[in-house]
Amino acid sequence: MAKRQLKGTEVTVREDLTKMRLQVLKHAVKEYTMKKVWTSDGVIKVNIGLSGDLGECPGDFIRNITYKFPKKLKLVHINAQSLNDYKQAEFIELFSESEIDIIVVSETWLKDDIQVSLLNYNGFYVNRCGSRHGGGVAIFVKSSYRAKVLSTSLGEINKPEYILIEVLIGCDKLLVVGVYRPPKIGYLDALQTEIYKYTVDYKYTFLCGDLNARFGSGTDETKIISDMLSLCNLSCVPFGSTFHIPGCDSTLDLISSNCPDLLIYFGQRLASGFSAHDILCAVFDLSVPSVTSEPFTFRDFNGIILDNLLNDIETASWHLVYNAPNIDGKLEQFNNIITNLMEMHVPLKTFARRKNQPWMTKEISKQIKKREALRAKYLNTLSLQDKDNYIKARNRVKQDIRNAKTRFFHRKFEKCENNAKATWGVIRSLNLANKVQPSDLVVSVEDLNVHYASVSSVKNPAVIKNSIENYVKVIPERDNINDKFFFKYVLPEDIVSAINSIKSNAVGVDKIPVKFLKLCLPSLIPVLDHIFNYSLQNSAFPSVWKKANILPLPKVKNPKETKDYRPVSNLCVLGKALEKVVHKQVSEFLDSNKLFDKFQSGFRKNHSTVTALLKSPVSQ
């Protein structure tokens, strides 16, 4: 174990340390000066003198690491002592666009189901429940890697908190363990059993966390933890003291692995914006895929020249639509013309995704760097004046972030006034109303297709026959039926009303957005009138409109089978518009002839779940 002060450290290395491992260790600590000393009992002592700058801004520290090791596995641990309020803002600012592969956070202080939205990362959490304050563990994994939870301590009280996940990077499966052990808490045997149970199945194991044991102190507590790590074949990265308060420097945090030979770099920096603990980073000689930031592609309607678009619509080859022999041919010609018009006037643009913290300004970033420098100076001098300067800088950063965030969301809420959907979107961005996010499927796409098809179909022919006979019997019993049902001619105003009533911006398989259709709707009415009426008069629904992009969303936190996913179908905009036209005509016919069942409330105007309860047989 390592015992280190700010000016130097002493690392005791086992006797069986080979020359190759020592060379790897020398290469790993480029920022340190090393001196090998052989003792009388045959143990190597490596004296490491710090030559780097602990006061370097954490952002610069992280960026330098990702620049030096772009294709190597990079792990970071930080004891945050809260990811709430302004600390969450700093955490997101620090890591949302970093290329760190795995980030382990201890003492998240998150409660119940609260989560942190970190761009380009998937988060896995063990939050404290109930009234107990503090604690909590989270692991953030790059979203380009597949990861799943193996085991957690969720629900356990007054015990070490941990989470074990599997991460698939290329062809390598990693076991990653995040741990937080509250002070003077035992029960390490359960954690040891969980880790040992899984290590046999994984070639590489990494454990990161805060065990609240002063390594190198020789106490029974540290010996138990050391024995646990040794049993699981885990070796600690030789960091120095990781916890700094005036008059006390302790090694409480760690990153350990079962592959110390692959360690090629390690470093630590002060984390003033979070706690008195250091940010720890270790880089291992494991290849990771080249990082390519996920692009954001969209159509920019701001630069469109509407007059030019309308002129091109007027001169388009609409005769190809009118002359097509069937509905599929007509729609194919229509889609081709619309797609070409969009490419000409609203071309696709691709941008790198931006940070999800627009309130973090350059001025705030400068204040953060100033705060880091002042804290490093204070820890070096322990001067009361330096302490006062650091506290003032820390409080200013805290207040500036809160004020900037408040102003940002005030503007957001003002823009979405009287718009419930937009308001809830802002609320969710504040993590005040979390929704279940899509995750990697744990079932096959084929199984989902079979499940969704079976749920939506009726396989019993007797049920189908009885339903048809029931409706046939009902209609003749009515004396006031005006006529048989036929589809009426669809008027232009019906088409306009149907398309304008569509609020969702989801795009179907034809990739035609509703925004573009609404933009030039008056010029498209004649051809849409032709397509809609041809479809109803010939009882032919276009094949393209029968297809949907289906997004399976998990209904539970840890889905395990097909029934745990609900399908969200993104249909073609014009297909939905025709459905609305048909629904209106059918509903008007059923309503005027009083053919609705008296207990039906679904899909009826001026009806809701309230009327369903009022009309239920129980309430009669």
Side-chain angles (χ1 to χ4, degrees), residues 391-402:
I391 291 176
K392 288 180 180 178
R394 181 196 63 188
N395 292 343
R396 179 179 176 182
V397 169
K398 185 187 304 185
Q399 194 60 47
D400 285 350
I401 292 177
R402 286 173 175 167

Side-chain angles (χ1 to χ4, degrees), residues 474-491:
V474 168
I475 292 177
E477 295 175 0
R478 309 270 180 179
D479 299 328
N480 58 341
I481 296 180
N482 300 324
D483 202 352
K484 293 183 179 179
F485 174 78
F486 294 99
F487 283 117
K488 301 176 183 177
Y489 188 87
V490 180
L491 300 175

Side-chain angles (χ1 to χ4, degrees), residues 33-247:
T33 58
M34 303 184 61
K35 183 179 180 181
K36 179 177 68 174
V37 179
W38 287 91
T39 63
S40 58
D41 57 358
V43 176
I44 304 174
K45 287 188 176 181
V46 183
N47 293 320
I48 303 178
L50 181 63
S51 61
D53 177 16
L54 271 177
E56 179 185 17
C57 177
D60 294 336
F61 174 54
I62 296 298
R63 280 188 290 272
N64 289 336
I65 292 170
T66 56
Y67 175 76
K68 291 178 182 178
F69 307 99
K71 296 184 180 180
K72 300 300 179 182
L73 179 67
K74 298 171 284 295
L75 284 85
V76 162
H77 171 262
I78 178 173
N79 181 309
Q81 288 186 347
S82 176
L83 285 182
N84 297 303
D85 197 25
Y86 78 96
K87 287 188 180 182
Q88 183 178 128
E90 284 210 38
F91 179 78
I92 295 173
E93 178 73 11
L94 182 60
F95 291 111
S96 62
E97 290 186 348
S98 76
E99 303 303 339
I100 300 298
D101 299 289
I102 300 171
I103 304 164
V104 180
V105 185
S106 54
E107 288 204 76
T108 60
W109 293 16
L110 300 176
K111 300 289 288 184
D112 301 322
D113 294 329
I114 299 298
Q115 299 183 359
V116 176
S117 178
L118 187 59
L119 189 64
N120 297 326
Y121 286 88
N122 291 324
F124 304 89
Y125 304 84
V126 171
N127 296 346
R128 282 193 180 176
C129 301
S131 59
R132 294 172 62 233
H133 178 68
V137 181
I139 301 180
F140 297 88
V141 181
K142 291 290 286 185
S143 54
S144 55
Y145 307 145
R146 296 194 64 178
K148 66 178 181 179
V149 176
L150 300 175
S151 176
T152 72
S153 61
L154 193 64
E156 298 182 2
I157 301 175
N158 294 326
K159 293 182 180 180
E161 299 163 339
Y162 60 83
I163 180 170
L164 283 73
I165 67 171
E166 174 190 287
V167 182
L168 179 61
I169 302 179
C171 298
D172 296 321
K173 281 187 177 181
L174 316 180
L175 174 63
V176 182
V177 185
V179 183
Y180 173 67
R181 172 182 170 268
K184 300 180 181 179
I185 292 293
Y187 300 102
L188 287 170
D189 51 343
L191 172 62
Q192 176 181 297
T193 301
E194 284 298 297
I195 297 174
Y196 189 78
K197 179 172 67 176
Y198 287 102
T199 50
V200 296
D201 296 325
Y202 293 89
K203 184 177 181 181
Y204 303 111
T205 301
F206 302 92
L207 183 147
C208 309
D210 176 5
L211 295 178
N212 268 302
R214 289 172 169 79
F215 295 112
S217 62
T219 62
D220 293 339
E221 187 177 56
T222 57
K223 185 178 185 304
I224 292 173
I225 295 174
S226 299
D227 291 343
M228 179 193 76
L229 296 175
S230 178
L231 180 65
C232 297
N233 194 30
L234 297 174
S235 301
C236 292
V237 176
F239 293 109
S241 54
T242 62
F243 178 75
H244 313 291
I245 57 176

Side-chain angles (χ1 to χ4, degrees), residues 63 148 156 166 177 183 187 191 251 260 280 292 298 305 392 407 450 487 518 549 588 597 606 620:
R63 280 188 290 272
K148 66 178 181 179
E156 298 182 2
E166 174 190 287
V177 185
Y187 300 102
L191 172 62
T251 304
L280 309 182
T292 55
F298 69 102
I305 302 176
K392 288 180 180 178
R407 288 192 298 269
V450 171
F487 283 117
K518 290 180 179 179
N549 291 325
E588 288 177 349
D597 188 283
N606 300 324
Q620 296 296 318

